[in-house]
Amino acid sequence: MSDSQFSPKDEHFMRRAMDLAAQAETEGEVPVGAVLVSKEGEIIAEGWNQSIGHHDATAHAEMQTLRKAGQILENYRLLDTTLYVTLEPCPMCAGALLHSRVKRIVFGAPDLKAGAAGTVLNLFEHQAAYHYADVEQGLLEEECRTQLQAFFKRRRKEKKELRKAQQAALESEQEKSGKQ
């Protein structure tokens, strides 16, 4: 789906999700952000990946957002809402979105490894699904993908530099040991 098929409000909320993804990155997390919006167009809750900092594998952006929204609305059923997320939901998040009865999910970039909204599998259209949601993909896809790719490129470079520094320190230590 091209960006032209989305409304200006859709783009506004996805850009907010991208800002939240940037917040995740500043915390050393994979940059994924999510925003849950009411049918009236009001932000109910928002979140970003915090799995590393919270030591919690379930602290994905979508899960953080759903938890906050449930507390705010005092209900786990988030009827007539739209979730904007920068990366396609994984199976865990897709399941939670189905349980929460989110009406519409809009994501930016596909997740080629774990996407559960059509890329690898589609839990939203599975015959066992007891709730159906409208899933729309590709809103600001290139920008969302670029944000993720830049993060992983930088992280790989940092790890490579760390390995080189560790190797140099080891060699220096071995050289010192050999001279004594």
Side-chain angles (χ1 to χ4, degrees):
M1 190 174 267
S2 71
D3 287 353
S4 64
Q5 295 174 292
F6 293 101
S7 74
K9 279 189 175 185
D10 289 331
E11 185 172 328
H12 167 78
F13 292 124
M14 185 60 80
R15 290 204 183 280
R16 177 62 188 147
M18 291 178 70
D19 290 343
L20 296 166
Q23 174 64 33
E25 186 169 359
T26 65
E27 295 175 13
E29 303 279 351
V30 175
V32 178
V35 177
L36 187 73
V37 178
S38 70
K39 67 181 176 184
E40 293 80 25
E42 299 293 323
I43 293 177
I44 298 169
E46 47 190 34
W48 56 91
N49 275 3
Q50 296 181 299
S51 295
I52 297 167
H54 286 192
H55 311 288
D56 179 357
T58 70
H60 289 191
E62 302 95 322
M63 300 296 283
Q64 299 293 81
T65 303
L66 294 176
R67 286 183 185 122
K68 290 175 188 174
Q71 294 298 310
I72 290 166
L73 299 176
E74 297 181 347
N75 194 338
Y76 77 94
R77 290 182 179 216
L78 307 173
L79 304 171
D80 295 321
T81 58
T82 298
L83 182 89
Y84 297 88
V85 61
T86 57
L87 180 65
E88 179 180 3
C90 71
M92 173 185 68
C93 293
L97 289 162
L98 286 166
H99 278 288
S100 298
R101 311 297 199 272
V102 172
K103 183 176 186 175
R104 180 177 175 235
I105 294 96
V106 179
F107 69 86
D111 184 339
L112 303 177
K113 293 182 180 178
T119 300
V120 176
L121 66 139
N122 194 339
L123 293 180
F124 296 98
E125 291 183 358
H126 193 274
Q127 66 185 21
Y130 43 84
H131 170 71
Y132 296 95
D134 296 325
V135 178
E136 299 174 33
Q137 66 181 26
L139 176 57
L140 302 177
E141 178 178 344
E142 188 60 36
E143 292 176 56
C144 292
R145 181 186 303 113
T146 299
Q147 188 177 39
L148 284 156
Q149 287 174 337
F151 169 79
F152 285 112
K153 183 177 182 179
R154 184 179 50 77
R155 181 171 271 184
R156 283 190 300 274
K157 182 180 177 187
E158 289 169 355
K159 285 184 178 184
K160 184 177 180 180
E161 289 172 356
L162 178 61
R163 282 193 303 272
K164 285 173 89 174
Q166 289 171 334
Q167 183 63 34
L170 179 64
E171 289 170 2
S172 175
E173 191 62 37
Q174 289 173 344
E175 190 176 292
K176 286 179 186 176
S177 297
K179 289 184 178 179
Q180 293 177 345

